[in-house]
Amino acid sequence: MFVVMTVGASEAEILGVKSQILAEGLTPFDHVGAGRTTIAVVGEIGSRKPALLERFERLPGVASVTPISRPFKLTSREFHPEDTVIRVLDAVIGDGSLTMMAGPCSVESREQLFETADAVKAAGATILRGGAFKPRTSPYAFQGLGIQGLRFLAEARERTGLPVITEVMEPSQVDIVAEYADILQIGTRNMQNYSLLRDVGRVARPVMLKRGYGATIEEWLMAAEYIVSSGNPNVILCERGIRTFETYTRNTFDLAAVPLLDRLTHLPVIVDPSHATGKRWLVKPLALGGIAVGADGVMVEVHPRPDDALSDAEQQLTLEQFRDMMDAIVPLHAYVRGIYTASP
Ligand code: PEP
Ligand code: MN
C-alpha cells in the first residue's frame, strides 16, 4: 500500500508514519514528487491490510492510503510518476535523449576493443558495451577474458570518455565488476537469480536488467523490484527478445513491451535488436522499430571484423553498418520524441 502524505506534511509526521510501518515489521520507502511524499509500505502484509489501512489513514499528516494490487510497487508508475533519469559520467539515460550502447559481444583483445570503441564513439554512441565474463550455452565456447577484459574496458573508458557496461554473472563477481564498470548488466539467463539481484541492489552502480528469455513482463518487473528494494533505484530494463516457436530469428523481439513498460514503470527501457534477432541484417530495422515505439535507447553489438568474432559472429554489425544505422536512428529519434512528448 502507498501512504500519501499531505503537501505540507512535516518531517516529524513523515518519520511518525515510517516508524509505525517499521513497528509492523514492514519496510517504508519514500518518494518525493510534486511537493508531496508518498511512502510505499513493502513486505508481507497479508490479512493485516484492512486494519493497517485504517490505522495509517488516521496518522497525522496522512492525506490518503491506497491499497496497491500490483505485485511490483517501487518500480511502478503509481508510486513514482516521473521517469527515472540515470546519470553516469556524461551519459544521461531516460531523460528523452537517445542512449546508444554499442561495442563487441565479447572483449577479445585491447586492439579489438579500442578499434571498436573509437569508431562507435565517433559515430555517436554514448555508452560502450563489451562482455568480459560471458554466459555461453556451450562450456567449450570462449568464456571471455574475465578480469583482463574488465581492465581493457576501463582503459577504453579512459581513452574515449564513454561509460562502460558489462555483464556480471555471479554474486562473487559483483564487487570486482563494479570496481571497473560504470553500469552492471544482468543477462537474460540470470534475470531470476535472486541472490545476484539482491547483491547488485547493494552497489552504487546502475544496473541494466535484461529480460529473461522466458519471462513475462510482470516477472521482469518483479526482478527489477528485487534490485530497487535492496537499495539501488538506478535500474534500466532491456528488451532482448523472448523464446517462441519461431526459428528464423534467434528470439522474438517483443516490441509491445516498450510502450507497455512506459505505462507500468518509471524505469528507462533499452532495446537490444542484436540478441533479439541473431542476424546482422535484421538489427537496423528492429533498432528503428524500438525507437519508433518509444525506447530510451538501443544496445547493439559491433565488431571490426564480425566474421572473426569469438562470440555471436552472425549478429555483430560492422563499423560501417553501425554508422549507417546511426544515420537513420538519430533523425527518427528526434521525430519520435516530438510525438511522444506531445501525446496526452
Ligand atoms: C550480452 O548482451 O552480452 C548477452 C549475453 O545478452 P543476453 O543476456 O541478452 O543473451
Ligand atoms: Mn552477444
Side-chain angles (χ1 to χ4, degrees), residues 286-319:
L286 294 213
L288 291 169
I291 292 298
V293 293
D296 293 286
V298 179
M299 169 181 264
V300 285
E301 291 186 336
V302 183
H303 193 288
R305 288 160 293 281
D307 290 335
D308 300 335
L310 298 181
S311 57
D312 288 347
E314 286 174 32
Q315 72 193 33
Q316 302 206 55
L317 300 178
T318 63
L319 306 181

Side-chain angles (χ1 to χ4, degrees), residues 75-77 83 221 237 260-267 269:
T75 55
S76 73
R77 273 273 181 219
D83 290 337
L221 286 169
L237 300 168
L260 253 168
L261 288 168
D262 186 56
R263 179 164 289 205
L264 296 173
T265 181
H266 50 87
L267 299 174
V269 179

Side-chain angles (χ1 to χ4, degrees), residues 87-101:
R87 291 186 166 78
V88 46
L89 302 185
D90 289 339
V92 188
I93 307 156
D95 66 338
S97 63
L98 174 64
T99 296
M100 287 300 305
M101 303 182 178

